[in-house]
Amino acid sequence: MSAQPEPPAAPSALTEVEAHGVERIPDADRTATPLDLFRLAFGGANTFSTCVLGAFPILFGLSFRQGLAATVLGVLTGALILCPMAVFGPVNGTNNAVSSSAHLGVHGRVVGSFLSLLTAVAFFSLSVWSSGDALVGGAHRLFGLERGTLSYVVAYALFAGLVLAVCVYGFRFMLFVNKIAVTSASLLFLLGAVAFAGDFDPSYAGVFTDSADAATRSMFWPSFIGATLIVLSNPVSFGAFLGDWSRYIPASTPRRRVVGAAFLSQLATLLPFVFGLATASIVATKAPAYVDPAAPDFVGGLLAISPSWFFLPVCLLALIGGMSTGTTSLYGTGLDFSSVFPRLSRVRATLLVGALSIVFIFVGRFGLDLVRSISTFATVIITCTTPWMVVMMLGFWTRRGWYDPEALQVFNRRQRGGRYWFAHGWNWRGMTAWWVAALTGVLFTNIPGQFVGPLGDLAHGVDIGLPLSLAVAAVLFLALLRLFPEPRAAYGPAGARLARTVEAPVPPITGPGAASGTGAPVPAADAR
């Protein structure tokens, strides 16, 4: 009598600390759905920190309509770049950094871990700073709390501690928080639309008017593209983390549903983006000192123009939304670093990364004044992360979505060999395409008034760093796959698409717990 398939496991309790690390999630434990992925990705961006990013078009001098065009363009482009990254989790049952072993090599996967760490620190810090400032400012207006250093220290520490606690409990608790955050934050944003409806003027003109001087008008396109790229950085920032959440989705789930959930989650972020854009235009009209490019303070400006009855909703929005952004940023990095440093469990790695992030938050806020440069930090990180995503997506396409899950886990198990060993654990084709494209992007970056790369002025002040890095990564990676074929064994039974291959022996997997041979590959589920 044939064995019956193992029934799906019941979802773990909210207060049960997640046991899974980056090993392949057993099929019986994959109980998440594309809707859960939507909630996590949208909840992580439906926050106060996204409002801050939404204010940048106004800070760059654009009118409301120009800023809206830049915002829509940035969100749409970012969503299209991001959404294919959702498929790796269901296919491989692990996070995207581990999946990158197939294209950058067993050791090259640490690139994804490093990029996810920097991204997590940047957006976790932005979340804590913006939410903490809003909490302190709202409490000052409601209860007369003094806005001194001690107030900010307590707010940041309390907020960061709450986020860290959710991340320690793991996926189920984080999903619960985001279920609440998606609904409540959306309602609060809609309430804010009512609060500011009387003051909002869609004809806000910005600085690039017909009466502006020639020097000002010449800065329009650099400012428009710079604002678009800052908006785009928000969806792209999820690229390294989507697999952390989608790995709990069954492999049999149609890929179009998983990709669609990731895409729609970013389109939904137009709600907080447009809220930030609209309120920033009101601040620029009624309290222009708060949008001074030399010392912008969107949070302070928002509180200055808010009706008194909206102070409490602002505090709730800062708390709920910030929790969502903070957890989605920090959870995946702690998860991944438990494999980079084998002596650390997922919980210990999460605590370590959280502690380092908290130190960065306090040093940046009170010591080095890095808050005003967070947009530069985020843009440069995204410029380096996007070519990594391009290598991953083109690699998925050329491999026809086929992977060997056992070979993907070689690094995590401290083994050697397998289909993805390539040259001593490094796939120099993917690595070269990544670092050349990332370096090119940084060299051509031009963020007005903040960071200009050595070649940033060659396009007459227009920031072409990110588009150029995308193009370089795609062209160079495909060219290297044609000129220097990968081993046939790295591809599935259907063979390569577009790329060439060469017959080469597969080094056996050796090391702790290794069985003879290379392990039995598990084909990815067919797309339906």
Side-chain angles (χ1 to χ4, degrees):
M1 183 176 177
S2 60
Q4 295 297 317
E6 184 180 356
S12 56
L14 290 178
T15 54
E16 179 182 343
V17 176
E18 181 185 1
H20 291 302
V22 292
E23 73 278 1
R24 182 179 173 87
I25 302 295
D27 291 341
D29 291 344
R30 298 211 211 173
T31 57
T33 66
L35 179 59
D36 292 328
L37 176 62
F38 173 88
R39 286 168 173 158
L40 283 166
F42 176 42
N46 191 32
T47 65
F48 206 76
S49 56
T50 303
C51 296
V52 174
L53 294 177
F56 271 90
I58 301 299
L59 297 179
F60 281 7
L62 300 180
S63 70
F64 172 78
R65 291 189 174 91
Q66 293 164 349
L68 182 62
T71 299
V72 171
L73 178 60
V75 168
L76 279 175
T77 306
L80 289 171
I81 295 172
L82 170 72
C83 63
M85 294 298 293
V87 300
F88 291 95
V91 167
N92 295 322
T94 188
N95 72 346
N96 285 354
V98 173
S99 293
S100 72
S101 300
H103 308 297
L104 282 82
V106 168
H107 294 150
R109 58 137 291 181
V110 299
V111 170
S113 301
F114 179 68
L115 292 173
S116 68
L117 173 64
L118 294 180
T119 305
V121 170
F123 283 86
F124 178 54
S125 300
L126 178 61
S127 170
V128 172
W129 284 328
S130 58
S131 297
D133 288 353
L135 285 172
V136 172
H140 172 73
R141 297 290 297 270
L142 280 171
F143 311 114
L145 177 71
E146 183 179 353
R147 291 196 291 187
T149 300
L150 180 60
S151 298
Y152 287 105
V153 167
V154 172
Y156 295 155
L158 178 63
F159 190 78
L162 289 173
V163 170
L164 192 55
V166 174
C167 292
V168 166
Y169 276 108
F171 178 80
R172 293 292 165 194
F173 201 96
M174 185 174 67
L175 180 58
F176 172 73
V177 169
N178 277 270
K179 284 180 178 179
I180 297 174
V182 165
T183 302
S184 57
S186 298
L187 291 175
L188 288 170
F189 280 127
L190 293 175
L191 183 62
V194 175
F196 297 109
D199 295 322
F200 173 61
D201 181 5
S203 63
Y204 170 74
V207 301
F208 302 107
T209 61
D210 293 338
S211 60
D213 57 50
T216 299
R217 290 198 302 271
S218 68
M219 288 299 295
F220 171 74
W221 283 113
S223 299
F224 182 87
I225 293 175
T228 301
L229 292 178
I230 287 179
V231 172
L232 182 147
S233 72
N234 198 62
V236 171
S237 70
F238 288 94
F241 303 126
L242 277 187
D244 303 332
W245 317 320
S246 63
R247 67 197 178 111
Y248 277 96
I249 297 175
S252 60
T253 304
R255 292 178 191 168
R256 65 179 181 275
R257 291 184 58 200
V258 178
V259 172
F263 181 77
L264 291 175
S265 71
Q266 298 310 305
L267 288 191
T269 64
L270 285 171
L271 176 62
F273 268 118
V274 173
F275 179 85
L277 177 71
T279 51
S281 69
I282 300 173
V283 172
T285 301
K286 299 184 66 176
Y290 289 99
V291 293
D292 181 357
D297 182 10
F298 169 71
V299 175
L302 180 64
L303 291 170
I305 64 170
S306 294
S308 57
W309 64 264
F310 193 62
F311 294 155
L312 182 58
V314 165
C315 293
L316 291 174
L317 186 60
L319 179 63
I320 296 171
M323 284 283 290
S324 187
T325 295
T327 54
T328 51
S329 298
L330 199 58
Y331 166 79
T333 303
L335 172 71
D336 193 52
F337 266 71
S338 65
S339 66
V340 176
F341 301 101
R343 294 190 177 186
L344 296 176
S345 64
R346 186 196 66 83
V347 172
R348 290 178 179 176
T350 300
L351 291 171
L352 175 61
V353 173
L356 293 175
S357 300
I358 291 171
V359 170
F360 178 81
I361 287 168
F362 281 101
V363 172
R365 179 63 173 83
F366 299 110
L368 302 179
D369 195 23
L370 293 178
V371 180
R372 288 187 297 173
S373 301
I374 193 64
S375 62
T376 302
F377 188 34
T379 302
V380 172
I381 290 171
I382 297 307
T383 302
C384 295
T385 301
T386 306
W388 175 81
M389 295 166 60
V390 170
V391 170
M392 289 277 287
M393 290 184 281
L394 288 177
F396 184 94
W397 186 70
T398 58
R399 303 276 177 89
R400 301 180 187 272
W402 186 93
Y403 292 89
D404 180 349
E406 291 298 311
L408 290 176
Q409 295 291 334
V410 165
F411 180 92
N412 307 330
R413 297 169 180 168
R414 294 306 179 261
Q415 298 169 336
R416 298 170 62 86
R419 298 176 189 272
Y420 308 131
W421 187 247
F422 299 108
H424 305 288
W426 301 90
N427 186 350
W428 63 268
R429 303 161 191 82
M431 290 291 297
T432 300
W434 168 71
W435 75 259
V436 170
L439 179 61
T440 301
V442 172
L443 290 175
F444 281 88
T445 295
N446 189 321
I447 305 175
Q450 297 189 47
F451 174 78
V452 179
L455 304 178
D457 287 326
L458 291 185
H460 305 289
V462 176
D463 187 349
I464 61 172
L466 185 59
L468 198 58
S469 68
L470 281 166
V472 170
V475 173
L476 183 56
F477 184 53
L478 291 176
L480 290 173
L481 291 181
R482 294 288 297 177
L483 296 173
F484 304 96
E486 292 179 320
R488 172 66 179 80
Y491 295 80
R497 180 188 281 127
L498 191 62
R500 294 195 303 128
T501 61
V502 62
E503 294 297 333
V506 178
I509 296 177
T510 60
S516 59
T518 60
V522 180
D526 293 334
R528 284 171 284 176

